[in-house]
Amino acid sequence: MIERSIAGMIAAVVATGALAADESDAAAPTARVIVLAHYDNALGTSDAASQGTVTSALIASRPALRTGELLEFVPGMIVTQHSGDGKANQYFLRGFNLDHGTDFATYVDAMPVNLRSNAHGQGYSDLNFLIPELVQRIDYKKGSYYADEGDFSSAGAAHIRLADRLAQGSANLTLGSYGYQRGVLADSFAAAGGTLLYGLELSRNNGPWQTPERVRKYSGALRYTRGDAQDGYSVTAMAYRNRWNATDQLPQRAVDDGSFDRYGSANPSDGGDTSRTSLAWAMHNRGEGSISEASAYLVRSSLDLYSDFTYLLNDPVNGDQFQQSERRTMAGFNASQTWVSQFAGIDMRNKFGVQTRYDRIAPLGLYHTVARQRIATVSEDRVNEASAGLYWENTSYWSPTFRSIAGLRHDAYRFNVNGAGTQAHKTSPKLSLIFGPWRSTEYFVNYGAGFHSNDARGVLKAADPATPLVGTRGAELGVRGAWLPGLQSSLSLWTLDIDSELVFAGDSGDTEATRPSRRRGVEWSNHYIAAPWLLFDLDLSASHARYRRDDPAGNHVPEALDKVASFGVTIKDIGRWSGGFELRYFGPRPLIEDNSVRSAATTLAYGRIAWQLDRKTRLTLDGFNLFDRRASDIDYYYASRLPGEPAEGVNGVHFHPVEPRTLRLTLSRNF
């Protein structure tokens, strides 16, 4: 009896893997989506309490000010911006200021989004190329417990899965405050024995800034799929271009004395220009008790970013604006094989995989500029970076209420800068124990080692080179329950050690390595379907971050996130009406090591009201910062110099304000 139960569990796991590989709406059971509605965090669906899936239903029902806020569907994640809307967002999770993505790995299907050895910041993760209407689901993980997750994934990872087909075509037109305009056209249809999906997006935005942002964004996607959940493949092409002006953070002292307006700019010529094109292929084949998967991708991208954070501190004559520039080609291949077996009477599922990636960045430059015109070259390099990761994962089903997952990962890196090279290796063991369910409750014990890579230029510095692969170690105790009908609730206690912290350096507009640190925290996520038309979401998290090596300057980690809370209500199908409300709390943070300067908390409210005009036409009004709070998207503490100030500059808080109350009206037509 026990053997038959375990065999059924293994079959279910294999089937789930095939569905994940297929990534198609048709392959996912319709009843499952209806029951779970927004999140799939049900019993038996994950290997840790902090792992889960966000469905397209939630993505479509919640307003987002920026594309990068897709990641705020990950419980406990905060997404902000300190520059223009063409730049990668700023991310916070589990006591980290992740900067632009250093310890959180993001993928679109099999393509990595994080850019290593990036011109602006290590792990730079820009999601602006995505068209949200094409996202089928987001699979998220937290912690370093998964053998198939490598670089940048110590705090967590998100796999954004694109749809293979759309239930119906749609055309959307959005008009909003401050010159916001957006048009989207998307559909899918049968073609050449498979399905062809396309999506187009055009966006314009000036924002509330005194220097109009003048965002000019173009995105397109074309995807061909063939096959089914058993055997199939997909080919996806994507293209993106964005140009914008940026209003970077301002010194609080200059706003307080009236030198700058709250929405003013210290350097109106800041901004950027970026592009990205990609081609990706993926296949899956499900045999008798096995799954074969493979994928490959080729990405070309460019970035020119103009920033000025310190004004006249380094060059009192020309100013401190600098350009960070890169031209990148990135390619990779992934393959895995999963099979079920039995050893000593124990049913098992084994998975073996390989992940490879190669980045060629030439030129990779830093330049001193005035009004976007180069006046000096600070550095210009040619970088080649290659990596290969091998992993093995064994799931053993000891009984119907206990399974273990043991994994081992080994990564090898090759760094080359201007012809000089070095190598690095890292082995990362993983172990998870899952107990239950008993009385609608599961229990999890997780441990894993991980890493993030450092910028190749820092690794090969002649003096004081950076550690190539910075090690991390994390552990988690979790419980997940369905104690009430319609409720999914998860509680986790976690800890994470990192061997070298990356913090923001205002004088260079980049990150620099500091001391090792330790973070501990608790997370509580709840998703409740009170009625078929009424859903509630409540996520709470608190963390504690400190350096592990004492220093007279203090042991607080600057910008380390302390408390996060979010509460959401979704109402649907009330006649022709539907809507929602979300409240997000972003807690105060230490800005320097001795904790003598702290940021203020930020609380924002979003809302939506939608009216179905007829069967195919819908009108939606979204509101952002509904209570018109004068708060900060981000706060930093560093030295800068304005005209008339001392040559050594003035230390102080620099902030980027949240946008004032913003309204957007969308007309959608299905066909």
Side-chain angles (χ1 to χ4, degrees), residues 498-503 512-519 546-558 593-594:
I498 184 168
D499 290 341
S500 177
E501 188 75 24
L502 289 178
V503 297
E512 58 186 29
T514 61
R515 292 171 276 164
S517 63
R518 171 170 294 162
R519 288 169 171 78
R546 295 292 186 272
Y547 289 120
R548 290 186 285 130
R549 187 183 302 154
D550 288 336
D551 190 288
N555 293 329
H556 287 76
V557 181
E593 287 87 344
D594 65 6

Side-chain angles (χ1 to χ4, degrees), residues 3 43 133 163 186 195 226 249 312 450 569 613 621-622 649 669:
E3 290 184 357
L43 298 178
E133 287 82 354
T195 301
R226 185 165 184 170
Q249 62 258 23
L312 299 171
V569 181
L613 280 73
L621 178 64
D622 292 332
R669 176 73 177 178

Side-chain angles (χ1 to χ4, degrees), residues 301-318:
S301 66
S302 68
L303 174 67
D304 289 293
L305 191 62
Y306 301 88
S307 307
D308 185 355
F309 302 127
T310 52
Y311 322 125
L312 299 171
L313 181 65
N314 301 315
D315 188 336
V317 176
N318 297 301

